[in-house]
Amino acid sequence: QVQLVESGGGLVQAGGSLRLSCVASGRTFSTYAMGWFRQAPGKQREFVATITYGGVTYHADSVKGRFTISRDNAVNTVYLRMNSLKPEDTAVYYCAAKDSRYDTIYYQGEHYDYWGQGTQVTVSS
């Protein structure tokens, strides 16, 4: 069982930056693919970014060039650096994990085995 705890959300003005963190329990974090998803009120959950166990990354077109996913296996943490934030980035952001020792890109939520509780990001105009 893996537990994921997100942090780093908050209120920021448009154009600002935030860094989200997701700490995972367990000793096999390095073998997990990790993803970030978001869900705005009244909308479906949306893929944001993913990083494979080997460090291969993939970002949604809507955030490419502004957001960067990274991981630090030494501290069981995945990050989402968010720059040039826009009001349309407002959502609850969720961290997800999938046990996968392949450099496969997983961009669908149903591929993931574990989810965090989410952290709210609000971008004011």
Side-chain angles (χ1 to χ4, degrees):
Q1 190 74 10
V2 174
Q3 290 187 327
L4 304 173
V5 180
E6 302 100 332
S7 63
L11 173 63
V12 63
Q13 288 188 333
S17 299
L18 284 173
R19 189 181 77 161
L20 305 183
S21 300
C22 172
V23 180
S25 64
R27 294 180 292 178
T28 59
F29 175 78
S30 62
T31 65
Y32 280 79
M34 302 298 296
W36 285 98
F37 292 78
R38 66 187 182 185
Q39 188 166 21
K43 294 188 177 181
Q44 290 189 330
R45 184 178 60 197
E46 175 188 22
F47 166 77
V48 176
T50 185
I51 185 166
T52 70
Y53 96 106
V56 177
T57 63
Y58 180 73
H59 299 77
D61 287 344
S62 59
V63 306
K64 202 169 292 183
R66 301 187 298 122
F67 292 11
T68 304
I69 190 172
S70 62
R71 67 190 299 161
D72 185 343
N73 292 338
V75 291
N76 284 12
T77 303
V78 62
Y79 303 99
L80 185 68
R81 178 67 181 180
M82 305 186 295
N83 295 328
S84 302
L85 282 161
K86 305 175 181 179
E88 51 263 43
D89 294 319
T90 295
V92 177
Y93 283 71
Y94 297 92
C95 169
K98 175 179 175 60
D99 190 357
S100 174
R101 304 183 189 196
Y102 302 96
D103 279 331
T104 301
I105 299 298
Y106 300 103
Y107 58 89
Q108 293 181 311
E110 51 263 41
H111 289 151
Y112 288 83
D113 304 310
Y114 306 101
W115 292 83
Q117 82 290 347
T119 185
Q120 176 71 47
V121 171
T122 303
V123 184
S124 63
S125 57

